[in-house]
Amino acid sequence: MIKVLVVDDHILIRKGIILLLEAYSDIEVVGEAGDGEEAIILAAKTNPDVILMDISMPNGLDGFMASQEIMHQNKETKVILLTMHDEEVYLRKAIDINVQGYIMKKSQSSELFEAITTVYRGNRYYKAGIPSEQLDKLFDHKGENDASVLTIREQEIVRFVILGYTNKQVSEKLHISPKTVENHKANIMTKLNLKNKSDLIQYGLNNYYYNL
């Protein structure tokens, strides 16, 4: 039996995933969590073989951070990010933190089962909305991009800067305050040792944020 923990902040999606998994006799769902903090606690208690982890979750602890903590605590646990995000910036982050799988929520149940069994056996399973050649390049250049030092939220901010959004427009898009947007920008500039907005835009263009 493959022990699976399901993590998603939307209860209907979570229950739907569990219902799909219960159709497979080789899989045992050992728990479910609604946010990253709960996932870390449950992972320690249930010791799952595989975790299906959403990326966007509440309370400041997203799927990337929760996955890193869980994999640090138990190197035998495999993580599959199950998400709606197929943008390259998310895939880069997944590759950088060494999660074993990445699959879209719109996938068929058979693909989900294949992903679980594949990573359980120690192999990688990444299927997203980009060409396989592009995905291979991301793995080939793992860790070479300065973007890995930025959080997903900071990378989103960079994208909006390139697109010409004001702080107010960014705050409305991300449901945060304009002051928080400004703080994120300051942190980005410090992390990347940039001097002004022009430097930030050039950085973003050099790191292919215009493709997002």
Side-chain angles (χ1 to χ4, degrees):
M1 295 289 286
I2 304 174
K3 297 187 297 182
V4 177
L5 174 63
V6 178
V7 185
D8 196 295
D9 61 319
H10 293 96
I11 188 168
L12 290 179
I13 293 177
R14 199 166 69 236
K15 295 297 185 182
I17 294 169
I18 292 171
L19 188 62
L20 289 174
L21 295 179
E22 286 176 344
Y24 294 95
S25 59
D26 294 340
I27 291 177
E28 177 190 3
V29 177
V30 294
E32 56 179 291
D35 60 44
E37 184 176 352
E38 187 180 7
I40 292 170
I41 295 170
L42 274 178
K45 287 182 178 179
T46 61
N47 195 30
D49 299 307
V50 177
I51 298 177
L52 296 178
M53 178 80 74
D54 190 16
I55 291 178
S56 301
M57 290 188 292
N59 303 326
L61 195 64
D62 64 23
F64 291 116
M65 291 186 284
S67 297
Q68 284 180 289
E69 179 60 27
I70 290 168
M71 291 187 296
H72 176 72
Q73 291 180 1
N74 187 344
K75 291 179 172 52
E76 298 302 315
T77 297
K78 309 295 192 302
V79 175
I80 298 172
L81 294 175
L82 180 62
T83 178
M84 296 183 295
H85 299 295
D86 61 357
E87 296 96 337
E88 186 175 302
V89 61
Y90 291 93
L91 284 159
R92 283 181 187 166
K93 184 67 175 179
I95 292 168
D96 283 339
I97 68 171
N98 291 317
V99 295
Q100 293 80 12
Y102 195 106
I103 187 171
M104 307 306 297
K105 286 185 177 179
K106 62 185 178 182
S107 301
Q108 299 293 323
S109 61
S110 58
E111 289 181 296
L112 184 57
F113 177 71
E114 181 183 6
I116 291 170
T117 54
T118 298
V119 302
Y120 175 72
R121 294 174 184 140
N123 299 310
R124 185 178 75 202
Y125 191 97
Y126 272 66
K127 280 199 175 180
I130 67 172
S132 58
E133 296 83 2
Q134 187 177 351
L135 185 59
D136 289 340
K137 287 181 180 178
L138 293 180
F139 278 102
D140 290 341
H141 296 285
K142 175 184 173 183
E144 294 181 8
N145 198 315
D146 285 341
S148 61
V149 306
L150 301 182
T151 67
I152 287 296
R153 177 50 54 86
E154 288 170 345
Q155 292 176 43
E156 289 175 324
I157 298 288
V158 173
R159 183 187 70 171
F160 285 122
V161 169
I162 292 173
L163 295 175
Y165 282 64
T166 65
N167 285 356
K168 186 175 185 297
Q169 289 172 320
V170 175
S171 71
E172 291 171 351
K173 285 283 187 181
L174 299 179
H175 307 292
I176 57 179
S177 71
K179 178 62 175 175
T180 300
V181 174
E182 190 59 42
N183 289 339
H184 278 305
K185 284 185 179 180
N187 289 336
I188 293 167
M189 302 288 280
T190 300
K191 282 184 177 182
L192 301 176
N193 195 28
L194 303 177
K195 296 179 180 179
N196 51 47
K197 183 178 178 181
S198 295
D199 288 346
L200 180 57
I201 291 173
Q202 189 59 55
Y203 162 81
L205 293 173
N206 289 342
N207 286 279
Y208 310 107
Y209 283 92
Y210 58 84
N211 284 331
L212 300 185

